[in-house]
Amino acid sequence: MQIPTRLWIGGEWVDSDEGSTFPVRNPASGDVLAEVQEARAADVDRAVAAARAAFVASEWRDIGPHERSALLWRLADLIEANADELATIETHDNGKPYFEARRIDLPSVVENFRYFAGMADKIHGATIPVSGPFLNYTLREPVGVVGAIIPWNFPLSQAAWKVAPALACGNAVVLKPAEQTPLTALRLGELATQAGVPPGVLNVVPGFGETAGAALVRHPGVDAIAFTGSTPVGKTVMREASETLKKVSLELGGKSPNVVFADADLKAAVRGASTGIFYGKGEVCAAGSRILVERSIYDDFVGELASRAESMTVGDPMEKTTRLGAIVSEEQLERVLSYVEAGKSEGARLVTGGERTDVNGKGYFVTATVFADVESTMRIAQEEIFGPVAAVMPFEDVDDAIAKANDTIYGLAAGVWTRDVGKAHRFAREVQAGTVWINTYNRYDSASPFGGYKQSGFSRDLGYEAALDKYTQTKSVWVALDD
Ligand code: ADP
């Protein structure tokens, strides 16, 4: 495993201007994996300059859509060829089970680059029938330099969600990974250059939010910010970006409802509710963290869910049997445990879990947690925990289910379990969420747009239309036809 420790700017490894570094830890042991060069404002400056130069240089601007497509495809091939190594780095950096990194994250990253490789030569404007003796047509042009800021839960996938469509549309990118998990993004920068992407088209600047992230958001040389992270930071990003009127896209937090009706396939619903909250340690923006269950099956359901939670083996993320890896950092572990305390003190019933645990006396682990009898007003029903903590509450009928599902500032995703087609589609129509899963949960595809309603943000990741919207701008060209 080759661990990158420097900044990737202009197609090469460089040290940070001030020479400062920060420790990146393996959350399964708490040990320092690497001291990584820390990007600050001066380094962001350098990266933006490199991106700007690459954006206007003929090697990228004049490359042509078919070759751009081929480059992205080559990058996908290189990611695939290095998948074992990338998944290993991801597991050590994030704490997720290797099984998830290798079998779920990596294939989806490869698919993502291939999907957007396919888009690169299918971007075009239109001819518009205007009044008068004129020809009017539109050009779809890249936005310019895109600053991408991503979180730590799916480090490489999140990088791919931003970088693949941005490059497909002909932009240059400065990517700031999360300070907890910068390693695979750095490798991605190196692989892009290896694939033939011109130097400076993709730069990676690991550093902290308040310094590197903020510098990128404020930088006058950045045309667009593509951000995924928490809702409070999203608000700051939008405020700061308004000074230079950047094009901003925000994919933020969630408190997604997973709604189970009494007429559902209960075995499937219990499984779906369990993976909906415990997959990825619950560190998933779309985690089904509020599980709403129809009153008549409520007690049985809570029992079944608790026994599934107890079967989630907590352990070394590199072990095949591990289903719940390490929480990403000590800080996040404390946060999760403080929500467990909040749940107890607010009067929710702790059915199972809620305990810190370890592997060989080390690491940041917590057992899969189920709270029942949760009220909508409680903090564990309203605030994003970003950990393996399920808040289960009963509901009476369809109206009550929809009202409770929507009783949140968030609107990222929602799940519904029922055999009644009409009920399912009514729920899908009335729930305020950017994604609705019917009799399934946590499904993603490069072709299907993903993003939030309400304070879960706006704009979409993935999908052709969403990428066009985010990473291109439209120019209208008028031609006089008479002399
Ligand atoms: P999370 O809860 O997932 O850590 P954050 O919103 O704190 O979410 O972080 C998501 C990303 O935003 C990270 O890359 C982080 O460094 C960055 N970030 C945090 N604060 C700021 C800020 N003020 N300006 C720009 N980026 C920031």
Side-chain angles (χ1 to χ4, degrees):
M1 182 172 64
Q2 178 201 336
I3 296 184
T5 58
R6 301 169 79 195
L7 319 182
W8 186 256
I9 297 177
E12 55 184 8
W13 294 117
V14 296
D15 286 336
S16 67
D17 192 53
E18 296 174 35
S20 54
T21 62
F22 65 103
V24 172
R25 289 178 193 279
N26 178 348
S29 62
D31 298 342
V32 175
L33 264 178
E35 284 288 338
V36 173
Q37 292 286 318
E38 181 200 345
R40 294 191 183 163
D43 307 295
V44 168
D45 254 354
R46 245 192 314 169
V48 172
R52 176 63 55 193
F55 176 66
V56 296
S58 60
E59 288 81 12
W60 185 235
R61 198 188 53 206
D62 300 336
I63 193 173
H66 301 305
E67 182 55 19
R68 206 161 65 232
S69 169
L71 280 180
L72 288 174
W73 195 275
R74 273 207 292 280
L75 177 51
D77 287 346
L78 274 178
I79 294 167
E80 197 168 46
N82 290 279
D84 291 346
E85 185 210 9
L86 286 162
T88 306
I89 296 177
E90 198 82 313
T91 294
H92 281 80
D93 204 359
N94 167 278
K96 64 175 66 197
Y98 179 78
F99 165 81
E100 286 180 17
R102 182 65 187 86
R103 298 278 158 235
I104 302 172
D105 294 14
L106 259 299
S108 86
V109 168
V110 172
E111 179 206 88
N112 207 235
F113 274 97
R114 291 197 176 132
Y115 175 82
F116 286 109
M119 175 185 181
D121 56 4
K122 295 166 195 71
I123 299 168
H124 51 76
T127 50
I128 321 271
V130 293
S131 301
F134 302 102
L135 165 67
N136 178 254
Y137 64 94
T138 57
L139 297 172
R140 278 285 190 173
E141 297 186 336
V143 179
V145 174
V146 174
I149 300 177
I150 56 170
W152 42 256
N153 54 348
F154 292 89
L156 189 60
S157 301
Q158 287 296 318
W161 282 26
K162 309 292 189 205
V163 170
L167 297 192
C169 295
N171 299 281
V173 176
V174 177
L175 170 66
K176 197 209 78 68
E179 53 271 32
Q180 297 86 347
T181 56
L183 303 179
T184 46
L186 286 166
R187 263 301 265 153
L188 179 67
E190 187 181 32
L191 289 174
T193 303
Q194 218 175 308
V197 173
V201 169
L202 174 59
N203 308 277
V204 187
V205 287
F208 292 88
E210 299 74 26
T211 48
L216 196 56
V217 172
R218 289 198 200 111
H219 205 293
V222 174
D223 302 290
I225 290 288
F227 175 85
T228 296
S230 63
T231 292
V233 174
K235 290 177 185 177
T236 305
V237 165
M238 194 163 164
R239 215 166 25 240
E240 294 286 329
S242 72
E243 272 308 308
T244 41
L245 279 183
K246 290 180 175 62
K247 195 174 159 98
V248 174
S249 57
L250 302 174
E251 200 267 86
L252 307 176
K255 194 75 197 175
S256 298
N258 202 356
V259 176
V260 184
F261 285 98
D263 61 7
D265 172 344
L266 283 184
K267 225 171 131 195
V270 172
R271 200 169 49 232
S274 170
T275 58
I277 180 61
F278 299 131
Y279 168 67
K281 310 162 260 165
E283 297 168 347
V284 178
C285 4
S289 49
R290 289 185 303 139
I291 302 172
L292 314 184
V293 184
E294 193 161 3
R295 175 84 62 188
S296 61
I297 57 162
Y298 179 75
D299 289 335
D300 287 349
F301 191 93
V302 169
E304 295 282 322
L305 183 66
S307 48
R308 272 203 93 90
E310 283 154 14
S311 73
M312 297 288 301
T313 313
V314 183
D316 177 353
M318 293 304 288
E319 280 294 325
K320 269 203 184 103
T321 47
T322 296
R323 287 294 163 271
L324 212 54
I327 301 295
V328 73
S329 65
E330 190 165 18
E331 188 189 0
Q332 185 60 17
L333 175 76
E334 293 303 331
R335 195 179 138 84
V336 172
L337 294 174
S338 78
Y339 274 109
V340 172
E341 287 313 310
K344 286 194 228 167
S345 67
E346 284 186 305
R349 175 162 59 96
L350 179 61
V351 185
T352 187
E355 280 154 10
R356 180 174 183 175
T357 177
D358 58 67
V359 170
N360 303 325
K362 289 168 123 186
Y364 316 133
F365 297 88
V366 63
T367 49
T369 307
V370 176
F371 275 106
D373 308 346
V374 175
E375 308 270 347
S376 257
T377 49
M378 292 177 182
R379 286 181 59 209
I380 59 166
Q382 290 296 333
E383 298 176 19
E384 183 174 47
I385 300 174
F386 235 54
V389 181
V392 190
M393 50 187 119
F395 69 83
E396 307 304 331
D397 54 24
V398 186
D399 289 338
D400 190 35
I402 291 169
K404 286 201 166 104
N406 287 334
D407 187 13
T408 162
I409 60 165
Y410 296 111
L412 192 56
V416 60
W417 300 83
T418 173
R419 287 192 172 101
D420 180 333
V421 178
K423 211 189 297 180
H425 289 286
R426 181 180 159 205
F427 178 85
R429 187 175 289 195
E430 294 187 27
V431 73
Q432 294 157 340
T435 295
V436 182
W437 289 296
I438 298 174
N439 294 329
T440 184
Y441 206 87
N442 261 339
R443 300 288 162 195
Y444 303 88
D445 193 289
S446 301
S448 182
F450 178 81
Y453 278 34
K454 302 199 286 188
Q455 291 192 36
S456 292
F458 47 78
S459 79
R460 297 290 178 265
D461 280 313
L462 307 179
Y464 177 89
E465 296 291 335
L468 265 191
D469 188 47
K470 229 159 117 168
Y471 298 112
T472 70
Q473 51 193 344
T474 305
K475 182 180 279 171
S476 171
V477 183
W478 290 79
V479 187
L481 296 180
D482 51 0
D483 15 72

